[in-house]
Amino acid sequence: MTETETNAYDVVVLGAGPVGENVADRTRAAGLTTAIVESELVGGECSYWACMPSKALLRPVIARADARRVPGLRQSVQGPLDAAAVLAHRDYYTSDWKDDGQVGWLDSIGADLHRGHGRLTGPRTVTVTGPDGGERVLTARHAVAVCTGSRAALPGLPGLDAVKPWTSREATSSHTVPGRLIVIGGGVVATEMATVWQALGSQVTLLVRGKGLLPRMEPFAGELIAEALKEAGADVRTGTSVESVTRENGTVVAVTGTGERIEADEILFATGRAPRTDDIGLESIGLDPGSWLPVDDSLRVSGHDWLYAVGDVNHRALLTHQGKYQARIAGAAIAARATGETLLAEPWGAHAATADHTAVPQVVFTDPEAAAVGLSLAEAEEAGHRVRAVDVDLSTVSGAGLYADGYQGRARMVVDVEDEILRGVTFVGPGVGELIHSATIAVAGQVPVSRLWHAVPSYPTISEVWLRLLEAYRDV
């Protein structure tokens, strides 16, 4: 074979995180030759610095909290967590930051891995600079899929680099527990990491610029989690901006908008994400480096019939499971176009990521957990739907009382009163993360309320909240 033939593929995937892996899986399943390029670890952000390590850190925290609410058990779990054991548990789930297992999986599906930094150098062309500085040109007959994800976005505070702040990566991979930790932000990363490190022994100060936590969820979600963090000993301050940060003799000093100085051993900025598209050669095909890449529902970038942007980079839903869903859609669409099959791009078709618009689920693994799918009440009203919100106190459900003494939680479903379908559902409380898929099916399937009456929840489970919600809707 010539060198050009060796480097020619049907599909080239830029980024070997969960999204890129799933695109490659689908294109290989369709019989398309596929190359995948990765500059760091195969498995990406989720496997080593986000989903897996964060949930491995959170699981002992939540298990202890649940055990403390159970009679006959609470006295046995009053001591501190074994921080070393928790961190070792985290290390196990990151495979000690080695990617051998995931490389083996790529080999098993027949995708070719090219390690190095990949950049677009023209239409259907990716040039990979390897660890040794050598270059290899990959050409794609049908498609290039950009699956490079996102990174933590830091604010433009003077001298911030010298402070060496934590981002989500350091927060999920630290091997020591800081005595004092400042967390800047009020979203998912901020609340989950505040939960973890407070439980592991840090004194956490959570500084939130806005009015409350988890602003993209129903307001009561953030309120209940803020109350729980305070009860755990964290200092939660809303409406608080940070104007400057310095490190003095090893101590971090954050100065707020009111001039107050707050000292800590480390500071975590959880203030949003930015696309990892600044150095992938977008300028070579007429796109702006560092930009989010807008796509249609088949995940194809407008104006480029061979280019796909899948996962975080398209800014549709910055969640691993949603990115993997997009990857399955994109891989199928690439294969259909490559083989001349009919593209099923209508809403909810095999080649349309329709759920991105109306049925995105998410779980926040704090104590209590928060889980939501679809639209909040405010979002539904803003979108022009005629809706009614129905709320239920989860403590009134028998299964919740059995789950934990003093159970506190809340559920809301947002009902479209014209179509009699659910536009959104939110649960907050211990153990509610496992409820959200039932809600996702109801929202994605546009199941009529009249049919939901026939979906009988088992007794006595927390899922009986569905019956209470439907009863409340009927009685309003």
Side-chain angles (χ1 to χ4, degrees):
M1 283 188 173
T2 68
E3 184 175 349
T4 301
E5 291 172 333
T6 300
N7 293 321
Y9 294 90
D10 292 324
V11 180
V12 176
V13 180
L14 203 52
V19 175
E21 289 177 322
N22 273 268
V23 172
D25 185 42
R26 292 297 84 210
T27 56
R28 284 295 303 128
L32 302 179
T33 59
T34 302
I36 190 164
V37 181
E38 178 54 54
S39 61
E40 293 186 292
L41 296 175
V42 174
E45 196 81 9
C46 174
S47 299
Y48 305 103
W49 300 285
C51 317
M52 295 307 292
S54 67
K55 301 328 172 261
L57 289 168
L58 283 157
R59 180 60 195 143
V61 177
I62 303 306
R64 181 181 67 165
D66 283 346
R68 285 177 170 178
R69 301 183 183 107
V70 178
L73 185 58
R74 64 170 57 95
Q75 296 304 319
S76 302
V77 289
Q78 289 303 312
L81 288 168
D82 183 340
V86 173
L87 296 178
H89 177 66
R90 181 271 320 273
D91 293 352
Y92 171 80
Y93 273 94
T94 60
S95 302
D96 290 307
W97 291 272
K98 297 182 178 66
D99 64 2
D100 301 32
Q102 304 228 32
V103 171
W105 178 83
L106 278 181
D107 289 341
S108 74
I109 67 169
D112 288 352
L113 172 63
H114 295 268
R115 289 195 183 271
H117 180 72
R119 301 182 80 255
L120 290 159
T121 48
R124 294 184 173 84
T125 305
V126 173
T127 298
V128 182
T129 303
D132 61 357
E135 291 188 347
R136 177 172 296 179
V137 176
L138 311 178
T139 59
R141 299 183 188 92
H142 298 293
V144 173
V146 176
C147 309
T148 49
S150 64
R151 64 171 181 276
L154 290 171
L157 293 176
L160 186 59
D161 287 346
V163 174
K164 296 183 178 179
W166 279 10
T167 67
S168 52
R169 283 199 169 195
E170 290 76 20
T172 56
S173 63
S174 176
H175 283 89
T176 59
V177 179
R180 300 163 298 172
L181 174 66
I182 297 170
V183 179
I184 311 297
V188 177
V189 172
T191 53
E192 288 189 347
M193 290 300 97
T195 299
V196 163
W197 292 107
Q198 180 69 35
L200 288 178
S202 295
Q203 176 54 56
V204 170
T205 301
L206 181 60
L207 304 180
V208 186
R209 181 186 293 271
K211 296 179 181 179
L213 306 182
L214 302 178
R216 295 185 178 180
M217 285 189 170
E218 300 285 7
F220 63 81
E223 291 166 4
L224 288 170
I225 290 170
E227 290 173 10
L229 281 169
K230 291 174 184 176
E231 289 178 7
D235 182 1
V236 180
R237 309 186 193 185
T238 57
T240 303
S241 62
V242 175
E243 302 301 319
S244 68
V245 180
T246 57
R247 192 180 284 273
E248 303 171 5
N249 298 318
T251 298
V252 174
V253 179
V255 179
T256 70
T258 62
E260 181 183 4
R261 290 167 54 92
I262 303 174
E263 296 186 353
D265 300 289
E266 299 292 349
I267 185 167
L268 162 63
F269 280 88
T271 50
R273 308 289 295 178
R276 295 184 62 178
T277 61
D278 51 313
D279 190 24
I280 62 168
L282 291 182
E283 66 280 3
S284 72
I285 56 170
L287 298 175
D288 294 330
S291 63
W292 302 102
L293 298 175
V295 295
D296 62 20
D297 276 359
S298 71
L299 291 311
R300 188 165 63 172
V301 178
S302 58
H304 299 77
D305 62 4
W306 54 272
L307 183 65
Y308 294 73
V310 194
D312 282 11
V313 290
N314 61 41
H315 208 232
R316 287 162 68 104
L318 277 66
L319 296 160
T320 295
H321 50 270
Q322 210 67 21
K324 291 164 71 173
Y325 159 72
Q326 292 176 12
R328 296 189 292 272
I329 298 293
I334 290 168
R337 288 182 171 122
T339 58
E341 295 178 13
T342 300
L343 199 72
L344 303 175
E346 70 282 357
W348 305 110
H351 307 124
T354 312
D356 286 350
H357 307 298
T358 60
V360 175
Q362 182 172 24
V363 178
V364 185
F365 292 86
T366 46
D367 177 36
E369 292 177 347
V373 63
L375 304 177
S376 67
L377 174 60
E379 289 170 337
E381 290 176 337
E382 185 178 346
H385 300 296
R386 286 188 58 226
V387 293
R388 178 187 299 162
V390 180
D391 293 344
V392 167
D393 182 344
L394 267 166
S395 68
T396 63
V397 177
S398 297
L402 290 168
Y403 188 92
D405 276 2
Y407 191 105
Q408 291 185 334
R410 187 171 170 186
R412 168 175 286 180
M413 68 178 188
V414 178
V415 184
D416 188 311
V417 297
E418 292 182 344
D419 297 333
E420 288 279 301
I421 60 173
L422 306 188
R423 293 293 178 183
V425 181
T426 299
F427 302 116
V428 182
V432 299
E434 296 302 331
L435 294 180
I436 200 61
H437 194 58
S438 58
T440 303
I441 292 170
V443 173
Q446 298 180 339
V447 182
V449 170
S450 60
R451 179 58 62 88
L452 287 174
W453 273 105
H454 298 280
V456 182
S458 298
Y459 180 87
T461 65
I462 302 176
S463 292
E464 200 179 14
V465 68
W466 279 107
L467 177 57
R468 301 292 168 249
L469 286 165
L470 292 167
E471 289 173 337
Y473 178 69
R474 179 195 61 187
D475 295 340
V476 170

